[in-house]
Amino acid sequence: MGFMQGKRALIVGIASQRSIAWGIAEAMYKQGAELAFTYQGEKLRSRVEEAAAEFGGGPVLPCDVAHDDQIDAVMAELGQRWGHL
């Protein structure tokens, strides 16, 4: 059992397997965290879906932090799935 067992985290900023966010997701997953992911724009969607599949298949949601409505939508979706973040 890892020290992140029973914890949940939202991973943002994955651009490739060399992203710091990818490394963080990998480390958290190995320690037992349940992960959700966001992507900014359709161009990055498939890369983030790849990460999600590798790290437990958590939700993948669009989120451009320049748009408050997208941030609100991510929080609402995670609230429904997890109860809280």
Side-chain angles (χ1 to χ4, degrees), residues 10-22:
L10 176 61
I11 304 295
V12 299
I14 289 181
S16 73
Q17 290 181 342
R18 292 181 286 231
S19 298
I20 291 171
W22 185 287

Side-chain angles (χ1 to χ4, degrees), residues 2-71:
F3 73 92
M4 296 293 296
Q5 193 70 35
K7 305 292 184 186
R8 295 175 172 147
L10 176 61
I11 304 295
V12 299
I14 289 181
S16 73
Q17 290 181 342
R18 292 181 286 231
S19 298
I20 291 171
W22 185 287
I24 291 168
E26 182 176 39
M28 293 181 87
Y29 179 71
K30 285 180 180 178
Q31 290 299 317
E34 182 179 355
L35 305 176
F37 301 84
T38 65
Y39 62 91
Q40 181 184 8
E42 287 300 314
K43 182 177 178 181
L44 295 175
R45 182 179 188 161
S46 64
R47 295 177 194 177
V48 176
E49 288 174 338
E50 176 187 338
E54 188 164 328
F55 304 129
V60 177
L61 306 166
C63 187
D64 182 340
V65 298
H67 301 281
D68 289 344
D69 60 322
Q70 288 187 20
I71 297 169

